[in-house]
Amino acid sequence: NFISAVVPPDEIGVKFDDIGALEDVKKTLNELVTLPMRRPELFSHGNLLRPCKGILLFGPPGTGKTLLAKALATEAGANFISITGSTITSKWFGDAEKLTKALFSFASRLAPVIIFVDEVDSLLGARGGAFEHEATRRMRNEFMAAWDGLRSKDSQKILILGATNRPFDLDDAVIRRLPRRIYVDLPDAKNRMKILKILLSQEILGSGFKFEELADATEGYSGSDLKNLCIAAAYRPVQELLEEEEKV
Ligand code: ATP
């Protein structure tokens, strides 16, 4: 579907404490989003303090951008709407106007709400010159028009949170509408250790296991890579047991 998920804040099941590392990112998101959504009265006077309408999370794949978006909705007490750029294929493009209008009016009714646009470059990528499909262009323009058209009352409680691994593919007009851009980096050894502690918190570990050694040995791994490694390791004893059973 056009919308891949709609989840109320108490059913999201991820909070900032479940995310290892990325402390600065969590702090920035709390200031930009959690506080204005939880305490809108603090932002309703004067012109300088305005809640942010658009944020871009960018960085290598598997670094926790989706996880951050979900946890942010929990922290901010906001409903979570998720759409994925690449799943919005040409079959939707004919209905670009209808779909974007429906999305934004739905969001207004659900406010406070975070609309998470994963792979935002696919939906709102750069103007592709002569090769760009007319329908792609229309979709992007409709989306931006609906976004601009949010009444100011609503716009304080609706946040567009985009995520991408390819920030340079984004259209300038889209970049301007995502004034806060936050880099979500690969973890260093100290942060890999924090992520591993969260991933392995419920597991029985071998007696010789040392978090520090594994963190040092996994240079270049993303949070997602670490998770896959832990799943593979957890599967080993199961596999060994099955092999033993086969021998009998
Ligand atoms: P992509 O760009 O590929 O969509 P992403 O940046 O959105 O990736 P996620 O989908 O959030 O990354 O991460 C994939 C999985 O990796 C998460 O569901 C989580 O289990 C694990 N993970 C990633 N980063 C962290 C982290 N900092 N702490 C704990 N788990 C993490």
Side-chain angles (χ1 to χ4, degrees):
N1 283 335
F2 182 60
I3 294 178
S4 34
V6 181
V7 193
D10 50 348
E11 287 177 21
I12 294 169
V14 188
K15 25 186 216 330
F16 274 164
D17 281 348
D18 303 321
I19 304 178
L22 302 172
E23 301 304 333
D24 289 349
V25 177
K26 290 190 256 181
K27 185 164 171 278
T28 307
L29 289 174
N30 263 338
E31 284 168 10
L32 290 176
V33 184
T34 310
L35 191 60
M37 282 203 177
R38 292 237 178 233
R39 302 283 309 276
E41 76 281 4
L42 299 177
F43 293 78
S44 59
H45 309 288
N47 258 328
L48 291 175
L49 281 186
R50 284 262 164 263
C52 184
K53 282 162 76 173
I55 298 177
L56 178 68
L57 300 176
F58 67 103
T63 43
K65 296 181 286 297
T66 306
L67 209 57
L68 279 164
K70 288 183 179 165
L72 179 63
T74 306
E75 303 290 336
N79 287 301
F80 182 74
I81 297 182
S82 161
I83 60 178
T84 303
S86 62
T87 61
I88 301 167
T89 51
S90 49
K91 81 174 161 156
W92 301 106
F93 283 146
D95 292 327
E97 191 182 350
K98 217 165 70 192
L99 284 167
T100 42
K101 277 206 176 114
L103 170 69
F104 280 88
S105 85
F106 182 53
S108 296
R109 275 182 280 132
L110 283 186
V113 64
I114 291 176
I115 304 179
F116 178 58
V117 189
D118 201 3
E119 302 173 29
V120 63
D121 49 282
S122 305
L123 179 64
L124 305 173
R127 286 156 218 265
F131 297 110
E132 187 179 45
H133 204 284
E134 160 66 16
T136 318
R137 194 185 57 73
R138 263 195 38 219
M139 188 64 159
R140 184 180 52 234
N141 290 346
E142 290 297 343
F143 193 95
M144 289 196 290
W147 190 355
D148 293 342
L150 285 175
R151 283 175 300 144
S152 60
K153 178 174 84 48
D154 290 335
S155 73
Q156 306 207 349
K157 292 194 156 191
I158 298 179
L159 172 79
I160 306 283
L161 184 60
T164 182
N165 310 324
R166 304 152 57 103
F168 301 110
D169 287 354
L170 283 171
D171 187 294
D172 287 346
V174 175
I175 293 270
R176 273 200 305 281
R177 287 172 174 81
L178 296 165
R180 301 304 296 249
R181 296 144 213 158
I182 303 175
Y183 184 51
V184 185
D185 202 357
L186 285 171
D188 61 10
K190 200 176 96 215
N191 283 318
R192 288 195 295 276
M193 188 147 105
K194 287 188 190 166
I195 295 172
L196 286 167
K197 287 200 166 151
I198 287 178
L199 292 172
L200 296 172
S201 63
Q202 310 282 324
E203 307 303 315
I204 303 163
L205 302 170
S207 55
F209 179 81
K210 290 203 175 62
F211 278 101
E212 209 168 355
E213 276 176 16
L214 184 55
D216 283 341
T218 45
E219 172 85 50
Y221 278 52
S222 67
S224 176
D225 296 332
L226 292 174
K227 185 177 181 182
N228 289 334
L229 183 71
C230 291
I231 293 172
Y235 196 68
R236 271 274 272 287
V238 177
Q239 214 167 15
E240 281 167 10
L241 195 77
L242 290 176
E243 279 165 15
E244 283 298 314
E245 280 178 8
E246 258 172 36
K247 276 187 209 151
V248 180

